[in-house]
Amino acid sequence: MALDKNGIARRIAQELRNGWYVNLGIGIPTLVANYIPDGIDVEFQSENGILGMGPFPFEGEEDADLINAGKQTITALAGASLFDSATSFGMIRARKVQLTVLGAMEVSDRGDIANWKIPGRMVKGMGGAMDLVASAERIIVAMQHSNREGESKLLSACTLPLTGVGCVKKVVTDLAVLDIDPERGFILRERAPGVSVDEIIAKTAGRLVVEGEIPEMTV
Amino acid sequence: MIRKVVANTDVALDGIADGMTLMVGGFGLCGIPENLIAALRQRGTRNLTCISNNAGVDGFGLGLLLETRQIRKMISSYVGENDEFERQMLSGELEVELIPQGTLAERCRAAGAGIPAFYTPAGYGTEVAEGKEIRMFGGKPHLLEHAFDADFALVKAWKGDEAGNLIFKGTARNFNPMMAMAGRITVAEVEELVPAGTLDPNAIHVPGIFVHRIVQGTHYEKRIEQRTVRPKNPTI
């Protein structure tokens, strides 16, 4: 069965390593914070100016002066720090943040990503996504394998305006975990429980490499 | 001590004229100069170019100045929360320039630091790079980006003193410090205006040299855009 949003988040949480600073985008990526594996210490960075971001506040304790990049009210954990936007993107460009998780509308088999604009229909802006993808050492994309029309979001070339080129190294969808090798394309690593390799092949429009037995994910 | 205190928000905006470029601090509705925005609406100044990360929401923040058609152009990184904004943008009434958030922050910082331009990797290979000089550093392509030039910067701080020194709270700091440094004339509104000598000099985020006018804000709604909470007494 395909994973739900929480399943995708739980699988991505398995990629977290001790001591990493992590930036989580809006949507499914935000859920990753709910599934940090035991024994792993990470700190969450939100690009509007906080390191050591904690969970949502208790009812009645919301502070208008403490929000994340999704404009949601949050808390600060022990050891947290606050800073301005230039410092925040300084730490992003200087690669102090080890992992960025973000959503996407399209990803290409060369690691290009599009997630900020649908010409004529939706123009919300790139926010911090272009800065993050241009500089992050590890980018994991969290998204559905297909869009609402049932079309593959894993393409040979993005059709929408790009957010970044050749930057995505790993994609976790409701169906599969795939690495990206710009020379070879999407490398299928794991499939969601009960999802067949044939289904993944059928729903992947870009180049897909299937080598040997593809294990089911453990989530 | 050089005193920066002005009597009210009207005096604070003295000199703002039609067609000027303004920086407006804040991220979403967090840390926006809500009293100065209200005064600017009263003032009725038009054809403004506003450099601000977002464009407010319908009926609050910069959304108030969009309602009255006072803004001609927005320079922002994310504008997704405002129906009136979207309507004006799609109808062509409002010009919009979208730029990466880190580039926006650094173009403010550069302006306040006397740096005319800089290179950044953000936006390479995208439409943001169109028409810009590209140069390789360490084998990686970078875009040349220029410092902003703003006639006025309108910022909001938590505390400030008579000398114009500012301290921010929480994530309400965001773009405010760099914009404060960048404005040709910087106006700061504060929740708490205190006498010189009250604030610890070690704790100042923006030194008063960057602030030309400081004013006590009279009303803070501090609206929350996305109220997200945990239940206080979870049933076990």
Side-chain angles (χ1 to χ4, degrees), chain A residues 117-172:
Chain A
K117 183 178 184 180
I118 305 174
R121 257 175 58 196
M122 189 284 288
V123 187
K124 287 181 183 299
M126 65 292 281
M130 283 193 185
D131 310 272
L132 281 158
V133 301
S135 296
E137 61 179 286
R138 275 179 212 89
I139 298 168
I140 300 179
V141 164
M143 66 176 192
Q144 305 298 325
H145 213 91
S146 304
N147 64 19
R148 285 196 195 97
E149 285 74 44
E151 299 157 344
S152 181
K153 295 169 71 173
L154 290 87
L155 309 172
S156 51
C158 293
T159 62
L160 295 169
L162 294 177
T163 308
V165 290
C167 50
V168 179
K169 301 289 187 297
K170 190 182 280 289
V171 182
V172 179

Side-chain angles (χ1 to χ4, degrees), chain A residues 54-62 73-77, chain B residues 227-234:
Chain A
F56 295 151
F58 289 118
E59 230 171 311
E61 293 176 11
E62 314 89 279
T73 46
I74 52 156
T75 53
L77 297 174
Chain B
R227 187 178 300 272
T228 45
V229 295
R230 285 180 282 171
K232 204 157 194 174
N233 298 305

